[in-house]
Amino acid sequence: AVPASSSIEATTPKAHENTEDVLPVSPSKLGSVVPTTLAFPSISTADFQFDIDKASDIIVETAEEFLPKLGSARLVLVDLSHGSKILSLVKAKASLKNIDSARFFTFVGDITKLHSQGGLRCNVIANAANWRLKPGGGGVNASIFKAAGPDLEAATRARANTLVPGKAVVVPLPSTCPLHNAQGITHVIHVLGPNMNPNRPDCLNNDYTKGCKILREAYTSLFEGFLSTVE
Ligand code: AR6
């Protein structure tokens, strides 16, 4: 089962103590020993209105496929609230498949404050981006660009101007970036998922044959991108 301490209140000091149980060693004493970790939001399931049950299957299956390639690195699905349906579904399905809960788990917190507020060390975070790779638009994209400041926009532009659905782009963060120096995040990986929202570009009109294929490609690109930062 996923350790209880992997899903905590991000803001309480007590929760910070609990988090240390998840890690093999205390990060405050031996920071460098904490395994390389990717924290990622559930791509496409909020603003892009993708079905969460289908998304949870894809997250668990692609994570299971990638874990053996990732050495001791960890994958952590993050969402803002304890009521998150996607976190509950993923946690339950990962547990049924007996996936190692020290290497793949869920975590409640703001992805831009995982270290400072949640006590979770992550080197890399994923962003549920828009095709223009622009700040704003709400959701996790707005939060990540806001927390990173102008450095992220400049570093993103140096790599790509646009993204097609199913693809990811790895962006290294300069050490001046607040996400880097305050949260320990060295890379942001922008991912564009499939869109089922008629008010957003490239709406798939409930075509889940295409949608599931694209979401699977999106997680595969994300995990491959993460792997490239680990190697
Ligand atoms: N920390 C952790 N998780 C979060 C945070 C946060 N700060 N904020 C949101 N989530 P969404 P999408 C969770 O809508 O569906 C934007 O406008 C949220 O609860 O951000 O892929 C972009 O510009 C949900 O589980 O992404 C795109 O146009 C997950 O992050 C569009 O939304 C993804 O929700 C992308 O839509």
Side-chain angles (χ1 to χ4, degrees):
V2 177
S5 51
S6 67
S7 178
I8 63 163
E9 284 296 343
T11 47
T12 60
K14 199 161 166 254
H16 185 276
E17 287 160 25
N18 286 347
T19 319
E20 306 221 329
D21 299 342
V22 182
L23 305 171
V25 288
S26 164
S28 54
K29 291 178 194 119
L30 282 168
S32 60
V33 186
V34 175
T36 310
T37 304
L38 167 71
F40 63 100
S42 170
I43 307 297
S44 292
T45 56
D47 192 44
F48 278 178
Q49 300 178 3
F50 196 95
D51 178 89
I52 54 167
D53 191 45
K54 290 182 173 66
S56 64
D57 283 335
I58 292 168
I59 293 169
V60 173
E61 285 163 22
T62 49
E64 185 182 36
E65 186 189 322
F66 265 84
L67 279 182
K69 303 179 193 173
L70 289 171
S72 60
R74 307 183 300 179
L75 303 176
V76 185
L77 175 69
V78 178
D79 201 354
L80 287 168
S81 96
H82 282 278
S84 165
K85 289 184 185 146
I86 190 75
L87 289 197
S88 309
L89 283 169
V90 165
K91 200 166 167 175
K93 288 175 185 180
S95 165
L96 279 177
K97 283 175 160 258
N98 289 318
I99 298 177
D100 182 356
S101 61
R103 305 232 0 257
F104 175 51
F105 53 92
T106 62
F107 194 90
V108 176
D110 182 333
I111 203 162
T112 66
K113 296 178 183 144
L114 290 174
H115 185 208
S116 61
Q117 286 194 350
L120 179 74
R121 295 217 168 193
C122 297
N123 325 73
V124 182
I125 61 170
N127 176 30
N130 52 61
W131 75 274
R132 288 180 200 273
L133 296 169
K134 284 283 192 192
V140 74
N141 182 72
S143 303
I144 290 175
F145 271 100
K146 187 165 178 236
D151 280 344
L152 178 60
E153 230 192 314
T156 300
R157 280 298 150 256
R159 301 267 152 168
N161 286 314
T162 58
L163 209 53
V164 295
K167 295 290 176 211
V169 59
V170 179
V171 179
L173 292 180
S175 54
T176 49
C177 176
L179 275 185
H180 193 153
N181 58 44
Q183 306 292 331
I185 296 162
T186 59
H187 299 76
V188 169
I189 306 181
H190 297 296
V191 187
L192 183 62
N195 171 37
M196 295 298 179
N197 180 347
N199 300 316
R200 298 284 177 270
D202 295 322
C203 176
L204 291 172
N205 298 315
N206 274 343
D207 181 347
Y208 274 98
T209 308
K210 267 193 201 151
C212 287
K213 184 169 172 281
I214 294 172
L215 191 63
R216 205 171 281 279
E217 283 169 12
Y219 281 107
T220 301
S221 307
L222 168 61
F223 296 150
E224 276 170 358
F226 176 51
L227 189 57
S228 76
T229 70
V230 174
E231 281 165 341

